[in-house]
Amino acid sequence: MRFQHYTLPILLTGLFLYIFSSGCISSKTSLKNVAVEKSLLWEIQTPGAKEPSYLFGTIHIIGAEDYFLPKGTMTSFEKSNKIFFEIDMAQMSDMSSLMGMMNKLYMSDGKTLKSLLSEKDYKTVVDFFQEKGMPIIFFERMKPMFLTVLTSGDLDPGGLKNGEMKSYEFEFMEMASQTKKPTGGLESIEFQIGLFDKIPYEKQAEMLINGINTTEEGGNELEEMVKVYKDQDLEKLASMIESSDSEISGYEDILLTERNKNWIPIIIEETKKQPSFFAVGAGHLGGKNGVISLLKKQGVKVKAVKP
């Protein structure tokens, strides 16, 4: 796979990870109603399906030294006939399609970063990106939430190219390619980009400033998120996201709940057709409105895969 084909999807998947990790870790976080075991890998047995399918919780971008596959993952992958992601990763190799969506990254109505920020905050943004060798002129009209991805060195797309970072989605996509397994998506890239039109630009700009300040203050939110992920604690991840201090507070329905509910009928339909492997962000799995709970409510048997 050629890295340049994946710059846009890295920004998208990295964006979701950043939002769920930046500001979502709080001393107020509680673990009420813990409902699922600690596991990233789950077996799905849908009524009417002849064979089980599998659900895997990813963290979209992670340091190479922290990357791991729980026991049973490769066997589950091999048993599956089709691999599903939040967005079909195969779509990301179509550069003409990606270039056609570039205009969706920019704000409408002539809005610019300068018009959204105070003079002080705007200077903070300009100085931050200037230090990274990225003049603000290239980003002046870009939706602030896409720029938020670039505020964390841990989410630097260049890290994937030099091997310092890994993406579970890209790794599974490579495995699917090597084994000639077809892939699919639970939603389109157009849909994901459109989600951010539902969040006011002013709020997005606020998130951007918070992201820069957190980075410059040496915040370790992503580090803690990775630690919880490696512990395979889906309920704690859900609690972090649901915290009142979360960066996405007030937008959980748009970014999480509604999407989870949209995925359920697709997952059920596809698992009836053939054994499938679903790789989605781990933040979507736990909690009362998580994919695991919602599948169970539809009569699907879901159990943790243990070695």
Side-chain angles (χ1 to χ4, degrees):
M1 292 189 295
R2 289 180 293 175
F3 174 79
Q4 59 266 34
H5 286 179
Y6 293 91
T7 301
L8 181 54
I10 288 170
L11 289 176
L12 288 171
T13 55
L15 175 57
F16 281 105
L17 170 61
Y18 182 88
I19 294 170
F20 298 157
S21 62
S22 176
C24 70
I25 295 172
S26 165
S27 59
K28 299 178 183 178
T29 295
S30 61
L31 298 180
K32 297 179 180 179
N33 302 319
V34 174
V36 300
E37 300 175 61
K38 289 184 177 181
S39 179
L40 297 176
L41 181 63
W42 296 77
E43 181 183 284
I44 303 171
Q45 186 64 63
T46 302
K50 295 181 180 180
E51 299 177 73
S53 290
Y54 299 91
L55 178 65
F56 185 92
T58 70
I59 188 168
H60 298 307
I61 302 177
I62 192 171
E65 71 280 4
D66 292 315
Y67 176 85
F68 76 107
L69 291 176
K71 290 183 179 180
T73 302
M74 290 304 299
T75 299
S76 302
F77 189 93
E78 291 167 0
K79 288 181 179 179
S80 302
N81 292 344
K82 189 171 183 177
I83 314 303
F84 286 88
F85 303 94
E86 293 180 26
I87 303 173
D88 186 356
M89 299 304 290
Q91 178 186 4
M92 303 309 176
S93 63
D94 184 353
M95 285 303 293
S96 61
S97 175
L98 292 180
M99 292 304 294
M101 286 182 275
M102 287 300 292
N103 66 318
K104 297 181 183 296
L105 302 183
Y106 297 96
M107 292 183 281
S108 59
D109 302 325
K111 290 283 187 179
T112 64
L113 280 174
K114 192 170 186 177
S115 69
L116 296 173
L117 298 168
S118 67
E119 185 175 340
K120 178 182 177 182
D121 284 343
Y122 182 69
K123 185 177 186 303
T124 296
V125 174
V126 171
D127 291 346
F128 180 85
F129 285 105
Q130 187 66 46
E131 289 178 7
K132 286 181 171 287
M134 296 183 286
I136 196 64
I137 188 173
F138 296 118
F139 308 119
E140 186 66 52
R141 290 189 54 246
M142 188 171 284
K143 294 173 184 176
M145 289 185 72
F146 287 100
L147 294 181
T148 302
V149 184
L150 302 175
T151 63
S152 173
D154 294 309
L155 296 180
D156 180 3
L160 286 171
K161 185 176 181 179
N162 62 30
E164 293 179 358
M165 309 294 291
K166 280 183 174 288
S167 160
Y168 278 89
E169 282 77 9
F170 292 176
E171 294 297 320
F172 284 135
M173 183 60 201
E174 186 66 28
M175 289 160 54
S177 177
Q178 292 176 354
T179 55
K180 301 188 184 305
K181 293 181 184 290
T183 62
L186 296 174
E187 57 194 22
S188 67
I189 189 172
E190 293 92 341
F191 174 81
Q192 281 201 358
I193 293 176
L195 288 173
F196 307 114
D197 289 326
K198 298 181 180 181
I199 300 176
Y201 294 148
E202 290 76 12
K203 178 63 177 178
Q204 294 186 33
E206 180 184 329
M207 291 179 180
L208 173 59
I209 292 297
N210 289 342
I212 291 175
N213 290 337
T214 297
T215 297
E216 293 183 340
E217 291 168 7
N220 62 351
E221 289 90 348
L222 184 59
E223 181 180 338
E224 186 167 350
M225 173 70 82
V226 170
K227 181 179 179 181
V228 174
Y229 179 80
K230 291 173 68 176
D231 195 35
Q232 304 188 57
D233 194 339
L234 299 180
E235 288 301 322
K236 189 168 184 179
L237 285 173
S239 294
M240 290 176 175
I241 294 169
E242 293 172 0
S243 166
S244 61
D245 289 348
S246 170
E247 196 72 79
I248 68 168
S249 179
Y251 300 97
E252 298 91 343
D253 283 347
I254 295 174
L255 296 175
L256 282 173
T257 306
E258 291 180 6
R259 297 173 66 214
N260 293 347
K261 291 179 178 178
N262 289 341
W263 294 350
I264 300 306
I266 301 174
I267 292 174
I268 291 175
E269 179 182 357
E270 294 297 337
T271 54
K272 287 181 179 179
K273 295 178 182 177
Q274 60 189 338
S276 302
F277 187 95
F278 299 88
V280 302
H284 288 277
L285 301 190
K288 64 181 181 180
N289 290 312
V291 172
I292 292 173
S293 177
L294 293 175
L295 283 172
K296 289 180 177 180
K297 289 178 181 179
Q298 294 299 315
V300 177
K301 293 182 180 179
V302 186
K303 66 177 182 179
V305 176
K306 298 294 185 179

